[in-house]
C-alpha cells in the first residue's frame, strides 16, 4: 500500500511540475507576442521591416537564448503541432482575409486568380517534383520514395499568403494584392489537396487513370469546399436576420458569427475537404449578407475582433517558426554533413524560383489575351512583383513538411532530418530576404500608387467606365448588355451578363431572405453602406 501511495505522489508531483512548465512556457510566449507588437509598432514606418519578419527575428533570438541557457538541449518552449497550426491558428487568418478582402478586385480578377492558384500550383508541383527526383536521386541523402518526392513538390508549391498580407498593401496596390493573395488562398488549398492525394493514392502504379482521379478529386474538393463555406455564411445570415439577437445582446450576434465561421472550417476538416477554401468563402458571404443584419455595435466589434484574432495568430506563427528553426534535435542528424544540407536547401530554393516563373509569366500572357482593355492587362513589372512576392514559403510548408517527415514532432531518420532542416532554411531565407526586398521593390517598379490605381481602374468614376467585375453594385443597372462581335469580346462579355443577372437574382431572391446591404435590422441606428467592411 505504501508503494502505491508513493507512486501516486510521484505521479502527482510530475503532473504539477509539467503544469508549472506549461504555465511558464505560455507566459514567455505571450510576453514575446507583446514584444513583437510593440517593436512592430515602432518599425511601422520602415520600408524594409514588417510584423512577420519582426516576429521571425525575435523568435530566432529567443531560440538562441533558450539554446544557450539550456546547455544546447533545446531551442523552443513549445513543441510544433500540425493540429495547433491547422485547427487553431490558420482559421482566423483566412476567415478575416475573406471578410476584409476588397471583393470588387477579387472577383474582377477571379479568372487570373484561378489560373495562378490552381493551374499554376499544378505546374509548380510538377516542376519541383520532377526536379527533386532528377537531382536528389543522384545525391547521398538517403532512401526517399516516390511519395516523398511528390510530397516535396506539394510542400514547396505552397506560397505564404500570411506574409503576403504583411508586405502588400490592399489600398496602395489593389491589383497585386488581389492577385497574389487570392492566388495564395487557392494555392494553399491546392497544395494541401495535392499533398493529401499523394498520401492517399497508390503510387506504385501511376497511369493516366490515377492522374485523372487526382484531377477529379481536386475539382470535387474545390467545389464542395466552396459550397460548404457559402452555405455556412448564408445560414448565419438567415439565423441572425430571423432571430434578432441584437434586441437582447449584441454579444450573441458576434458569438454566432465567430462560431458559424469556425464550424464551417471544422466541418470541412471532418469531411476531408479543403478547410481553407471553406472558411475563406464563408468570410466573403458573411461580409456580404450577415454583417449587414447585425446592429451597429456588432458591426464595429466583429470587424475589429476578426482582425485582432488574425493579427495575433500571424505573430504566433512566425514567432514559433523562428524559434523552431534552431531545434537542435533536427540539426544533430545533419551535423556530420552540413554541406549536403546547404546543397539541398539551395536546390530546393532554385526549384521554387523556376517553378514559380514557369507559370507566372506564361499564365499572365494567357490572362492578358482575354483582357478587354489595356488597363486590365498585367504589365511585366507587375508580373515580376507577382513572381517575387509569391516566392515566400511559410507555415503551410512547415506544417506539411512536419507531417511528411516527422513523427509526433520528432525526426529519427537522416534523410527526413535533411528535408526538415532544408525546409526550415528555405522558409527563413525566403521570408527574410524576399520579404525584406518586396516593399522597396514595389516602390521602385511601381512608384506612384495613384498611377497604379488608374491602371487597374480600381475605383472607376462613372458606371460607363466600369470593367464590370462580378460584384460591382453600379454596373449594368439599365440592363444593357453589349452583344459580342468578336472572339475576344465573346470571352470577356459573359462577365457583364453574369454580373447583371447575378445582381437581379441577388436583389430579388437572396437579400429578401438573407438580408444584406439595404436591409434594416431590428435595432435602430444601422450605419450607411459606406461603413461596410472593405466592400468597395
Amino acid at each position: 500500500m505504501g508503494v502505491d501511495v508513493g507512486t501516486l505522489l510521484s505521479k502527482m508531483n510530475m503532473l504539477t511540475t509539467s503544469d508549472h512548465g506549461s504555465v511558464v512556457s505560455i507566459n514567455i510566449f505571450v510576453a514575446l507576442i507583446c514584444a513583437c507588437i510593440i517593436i512592430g509598432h515602432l518599425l511601422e514606418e520602415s520600408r524594409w521591416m514588417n510584423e512577420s519578419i519582426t516576429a521571425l527575428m525575435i523568435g530566432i533570438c529567443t531560440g538562441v537564448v533558450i539554446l544557450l541557457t539550456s546547455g544546447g538541449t533545446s531551442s523552443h518552449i513549445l513543441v510544433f503541432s500540425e493540429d495547433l497550426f491547422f485547427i487553431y491558428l490558420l482559421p482566423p487568418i483566412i476567415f478575416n482575409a475573406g471578410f476584409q478582402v476588397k471583393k470588387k478586385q477579387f472577383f474582377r480578377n477571379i479568372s487570373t486568380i484561378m489560373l495562378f492558384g490552381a493551374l499554376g500550383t499544378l505546374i509548380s508541383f510538377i516542376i519541383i517534383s520532377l526536379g527533386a527526383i532528377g537531382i536528389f536521386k543522384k545525391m547521398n541523402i538517403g532512401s526517399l520514395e516516390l511519395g516523398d518526392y511528390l510530397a516535396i513538390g506539394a510542400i514547396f508549391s505552397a506560397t505564404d499568403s500570411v506574409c503576403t498580407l504583411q508586405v502588400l498593401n490592399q489600398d496602395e496596390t489593389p491589383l497585386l494584392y488581389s492577385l497574389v493573395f487570392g492566388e495564395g488562398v487557392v494555392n494553399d488549398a491546392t497544395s494541401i489537396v495535392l499533398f493529401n492525394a499523394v498520401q492517399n493514392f497508390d503510387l506504385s502504379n501511376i497511369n493516366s487513370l490515377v492522374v485523372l482521379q487526382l484531377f477529379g478529386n481536386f475539382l470535387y474538393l474545390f467545389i464542395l469546399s466552396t459550397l460548404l463555406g457559402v452555405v455556412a455564411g448564408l445560414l448565419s445570415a438567415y439565423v441572425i436576420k430571423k432571430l434578432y439577437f441584437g434586441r437582447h445582446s449584441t454579444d450573441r450576434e458576434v458569438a454566432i458569427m465567430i462560431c458559424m465561421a469556425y464550424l464551417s472550417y471544422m466541418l470541412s476538416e471532418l469531411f476531408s475537404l479543403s478547410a481553407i477554401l471553406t472558411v475563406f468563402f464563408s468570410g466573403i458571404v458573411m461580409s456580404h449578407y450577415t454583417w449587414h443584419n447585425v446592429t451597429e455595435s456588432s458591426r464595429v466589434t466583429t470587424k475589429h475582433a476578426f482582425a485582432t484574432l488574425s493579427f495575433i495568430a500571424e505573430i504566433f506563427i512566425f514567432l514559433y517558426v523562428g524559434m523552431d528553426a534552431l531545434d537542435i534535435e533536427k540539426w544533430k542528424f545533419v551535423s556530420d554533413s552540413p554541406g549536403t544540407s546547404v546543397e539541398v536547401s539551395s536546390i530546393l530554393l532554385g526549384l521554387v524560383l523556376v517553378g514559380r516563373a514557369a507559370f507566372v509569366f506564361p499564365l499572365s500572357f494567357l490572362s492578358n489575351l482575354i483582357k478587354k482593355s489595356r488597363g486590365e492587362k498585367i504589365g511585366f513589372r507587375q508580373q515580376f512583383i507577382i513572381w517575387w512576392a509569391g516566392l515566400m514559403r511559410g507555415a503551410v510548408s512547415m506544417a506539411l513538411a512536419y507531417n511528411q517527415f516527422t513523427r509526433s514532432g520528432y525526426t529519427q531518420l537522416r534523410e527526413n532530418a535533411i528535408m526538415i532542416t532544408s525546409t526550415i532554411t528555405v522558409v527563413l531565407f525566403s521570408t527574410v530576404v524576399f520579404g525584406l526586398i518586396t516593399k522597396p521593390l514595389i516602390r521602385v517598379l511601381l512608384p506612384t500608387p495613384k498611377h497604379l490605381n488608374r491602371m487597374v481602374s480600381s475605383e472607376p468614376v462613372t458606371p460607363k467606365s466600369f470593367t464590370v467585375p462580378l460584384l460591382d453594385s453600379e454596373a449594368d443597372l439599365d440592363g444593357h448588355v453589349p452583344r459580342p462581335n468578336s472572339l475576344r469580346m465573346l470571352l470577356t462579355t459573359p462577365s457583364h451578363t453574369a454580373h447583371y443577372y447575378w445582381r437581379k437574382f441577388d436583389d430579388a431572391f437572396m437579400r429578401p431572405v438573407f438580408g444584406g446591404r439595404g436591409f434594416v435590422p431590428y435595432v435602430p441606428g444601422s450605419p450607411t453602406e459606406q461603413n461596410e467592411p472593405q466592400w468597395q
Side-chain angles (χ1 to χ4, degrees), residues 128-148:
I128 294 175
S129 298
L130 292 178
I133 293 173
I135 299 175
F136 291 158
K137 280 190 173 181
K138 300 177 182 179
M139 299 173 60
N140 181 28
I141 61 173
S143 57
L144 295 176
E145 299 178 354
L146 177 61
D148 295 323

Side-chain angles (χ1 to χ4, degrees), residues 340-514:
T340 301
S341 181
V342 172
E343 189 176 359
V344 170
S345 302
S346 303
I347 292 170
L348 288 173
L349 192 61
L351 290 175
V352 168
L353 293 169
V354 174
R356 184 158 182 83
F359 77 82
V360 168
F361 298 105
L363 294 184
S364 296
F365 175 77
L366 291 178
S367 177
N368 288 338
L369 287 179
I370 61 174
K371 296 295 184 181
K372 185 177 180 180
S373 67
R374 185 184 183 91
E376 293 178 312
K377 297 181 183 296
I378 308 172
F380 179 76
R381 292 185 177 184
Q382 293 170 329
Q383 293 177 32
F384 185 84
I385 293 176
I386 292 171
W387 170 72
W388 183 271
L391 292 174
M392 288 177 282
R393 296 296 178 264
V396 173
S397 295
M398 290 277 290
L400 295 181
Y402 273 86
N403 186 288
Q404 178 70 22
F405 297 109
T406 67
R407 298 293 179 270
S408 301
Y410 296 98
T411 308
Q412 299 173 345
L413 298 176
R414 178 177 177 272
E415 57 268 25
N416 289 356
I418 289 177
M419 297 314 306
I420 290 292
T421 54
S422 298
T423 302
I424 293 172
T425 304
V426 171
V427 168
L428 288 177
F429 182 87
S430 62
T431 302
V432 175
V433 176
F434 299 148
L436 283 174
I437 298 176
T438 300
K439 280 185 178 180
L441 191 64
I442 292 174
R443 288 188 173 93
V444 171
L445 296 181
L446 302 171
T448 55
K450 291 183 179 179
H451 171 68
L452 180 60
N453 287 337
R454 199 161 52 246
M455 286 281 291
V456 300
S457 302
S458 63
E459 294 293 338
V461 179
T462 64
K464 290 183 180 179
S465 68
F466 275 153
T467 53
V468 197
L470 180 61
L471 294 179
D472 275 348
S473 58
E474 304 292 337
D476 287 344
L477 293 179
D478 59 352
H480 174 68
V481 179
R483 188 179 300 276
N485 55 16
S486 68
L487 178 60
R488 177 168 294 186
M489 286 191 67
L490 183 64
L491 292 172
T492 56
T493 300
S495 64
H496 296 248
T497 308
H499 165 263
Y500 170 67
Y501 287 111
W502 159 252
R503 296 306 308 174
K504 289 188 65 176
F505 176 77
D506 191 29
D507 292 336
F509 298 101
M510 299 297 287
R511 288 182 178 177
V513 176
F514 300 105

Side-chain angles (χ1 to χ4, degrees), residues 262-280:
Y262 192 68
L263 179 63
S264 69
Y265 186 90
M266 294 310 299
L267 283 175
S268 187
E269 286 285 339
L270 178 64
F271 296 124
S272 300
L273 302 176
S274 175
I276 291 178
L277 279 177
T278 297
V279 77
F280 178 72

Side-chain angles (χ1 to χ4, degrees), residues 194-248:
L194 288 171
F195 182 82
N196 292 334
V198 166
Q199 290 189 321
N200 296 331
F201 275 84
D202 181 15
L203 300 174
S204 59
N205 184 23
I206 294 183
N207 51 43
S208 57
L209 180 60
V210 172
V211 175
L212 289 176
Q213 286 178 335
L214 284 171
F215 181 72
N217 187 48
F218 168 73
L219 291 179
Y220 164 79
L221 291 175
F222 185 90
I223 294 172
L224 281 190
S225 301
T226 302
L227 287 177
L228 180 58
V230 171
V231 169
L234 292 177
L235 182 59
S236 69
Y238 183 80
V239 169
I240 290 178
K241 179 176 180 291
K242 288 297 182 182
L243 297 183
Y244 300 126
F245 289 100
R247 63 184 167 185
H248 294 305

